[in-house]
Amino acid sequence: MIKFLDLKKINAQYAHELKDAVARVINSGWYLSGNEVKNFENHLAEYIGVKHAIGVANGLDALRLIMKAYIELGVMQEGDEIIVPANTFIASILAISDNRLIPVLVEPDISTFNIDISLIEKHITSRTKAVLIVHLYGQVCWSKELENLAEKYNLKIIEDNAQAIGAVSTDKKGIKRKTGSLGDAAGFSFYPGKNLGAMGDAGAVTTNDNELAIMVRALGNYGSKQKYVNDYQGINSRMDEIQAAVLNVKLQYLDSENQRRREIANYYCTHINNEKFILPILNNEISIINCINHVWHIFVIRCSERDRLQQYMTDNGVQTLIHYPIPPHKQVAYSTLNELSYPITEKIHTKVLSLPISSVIDMEDVKKVVKILNEWK
């Protein structure tokens, strides 16, 4: 079986360094809010190109804390609206509703799967306070038009950067910047399967906003800046020392591993020739290998007979996944949205299939995947 993602093989590449890092934490006797977390926060902030990085427990908490901090700072209040892609993992929307804010769903661009920025303005109302951008599957979602909208309507831009760490975009001043530094704040997930994955759950918030950084850190520590002194009604969401130590090791290899993913994606795109599939389309004309605005966290194709295709792949020894089978507005958790219609989103969720891709997949396995796909009738 060709695995969708072989985490054991990924971590085996630097097993010695990881074991040394974990042993260092064990031997230190300090397991929360210590030097390992401080070091990782500093390294992450430097890598992304921001003033602040705050380690938290997971990617959902990262987004929850950003919005909770904006509420505490008076930028938002309960009942305000946040524009968000209809086509996303449910965590993007959970973070909004958890803060008693209102998610306003906007359809994606069918070619990139990311939110269609040209549709945003017509959804802006007097209650709109932010746009939550999701760099889905590892591809940057950004434009001058988005920046102009934020300025015109005084909106915050929050990045859900759970899938695109290391991707680079160009802002309207022509400056190249990494995702996580494009908006006002960003949430990261270091779930084990991410391009930068921990050995468990972990996440982070990045921002250049000093006030926001202080507030996020306090809110993630029970609402406390000083032990046993609680200024806010916070939560417990802290990155532990072991995860920070692990991430410090793996961050060193992120760019080279992202580049390897581009090579795999390029092979898929240039060798899959079955007309029954729609392959990914980049939002620029640069070759895949040289395109730094995509890190290929997931390689997704579309097929009108997706379920039959997935069974065929399984029968032929290839593990595939579906990201995601049910759109958020059709989930039981959001029953009040179930009657809404988002045809492009719904079309995507019934047709997408994710192929194996990682920095450690053997080229022979990639060729097998392509051969099996091309032979499907």
Side-chain angles (χ1 to χ4, degrees), residues 130-203:
V131 179
L132 176 59
I133 290 298
V134 182
H135 305 297
L136 198 66
Y137 303 151
Q139 182 169 202
V140 175
C141 180
W142 199 258
S143 71
K144 293 179 182 178
E145 181 184 0
L146 177 64
E147 293 184 57
N148 290 337
L149 283 175
E151 291 178 8
K152 180 178 178 180
Y153 293 100
N154 192 29
L155 303 177
K156 298 295 183 183
I157 302 180
I158 303 168
E159 298 173 74
D160 181 338
N161 199 33
Q163 300 186 10
I165 185 169
V168 177
S169 184
T170 303
D171 66 17
K172 67 179 186 179
K173 296 180 181 178
I175 300 171
K176 292 187 184 303
R177 296 161 58 194
K178 286 190 173 74
T179 53
S181 70
L182 298 168
D184 295 282
F188 291 71
S189 168
F190 303 120
Y191 180 79
K194 302 298 186 185
N195 292 31
L196 179 62
M199 297 294 225
D201 269 328

Side-chain angles (χ1 to χ4, degrees), residues 112-139:
T112 66
F113 304 119
N114 279 326
I115 193 171
D116 188 336
I117 292 174
S118 70
L119 300 178
I120 290 176
E121 187 166 19
K122 69 180 182 180
H123 290 85
I124 296 172
T125 73
S126 60
R127 298 306 301 271
T128 306
K129 291 299 188 297
V131 179
L132 176 59
I133 290 298
V134 182
H135 305 297
L136 198 66
Y137 303 151
Q139 182 169 202

Side-chain angles (χ1 to χ4, degrees), residues 246-377:
V246 165
L247 291 167
N248 256 324
V249 170
K250 298 176 79 171
L251 182 59
Q252 304 170 71
Y253 303 100
L254 177 60
D255 286 342
S256 61
E257 293 193 1
N258 281 344
Q259 189 59 31
R260 178 59 179 157
R261 286 173 175 269
R262 292 186 185 104
E263 292 168 4
I264 302 301
N266 184 65
Y267 190 89
Y268 278 149
C269 285
T270 55
H271 289 82
I272 296 172
N273 54 29
N274 193 323
E275 293 182 354
K276 289 182 176 290
F277 311 136
I278 299 175
L279 301 178
I281 299 172
L282 294 185
N283 52 17
N284 58 38
E285 297 178 354
I286 302 172
S287 67
I288 290 173
I289 288 179
N290 296 317
C291 180
I292 56 176
N293 81 345
H294 206 321
V295 294
W296 299 98
H297 171 57
I298 303 172
F299 187 96
V300 174
I301 63 173
R302 280 190 287 142
C303 176
S304 60
E305 299 178 83
R306 188 268 310 283
D307 295 341
R308 186 170 75 86
L309 173 61
Q310 184 173 43
Q311 186 60 55
Y312 164 80
M313 298 300 284
T314 301
D315 293 343
N316 282 273
V318 179
Q319 184 182 32
T320 60
L321 294 178
I322 299 170
H323 295 89
Y324 303 95
I326 305 173
H329 72 281
K330 294 297 184 182
Q331 296 282 2
V332 174
Y334 286 103
S335 58
T336 57
L337 304 178
N338 286 173
E339 298 305 315
L340 297 178
S341 175
Y342 296 95
I344 298 175
T345 294
E346 291 157 22
K347 179 179 181 180
I348 288 171
H349 284 253
T350 59
K351 297 183 183 301
V352 292
L353 188 69
S354 302
L355 305 182
I357 188 168
S358 76
S359 59
V360 296
I361 187 172
D362 293 331
M363 204 62 211
E364 287 306 309
D365 284 343
V366 174
K367 292 177 180 178
K368 287 178 186 176
V369 172
V370 171
K371 182 174 184 294
I372 292 166
L373 284 167
N374 286 339
E375 291 175 350
W376 187 62
K377 298 179 181 178

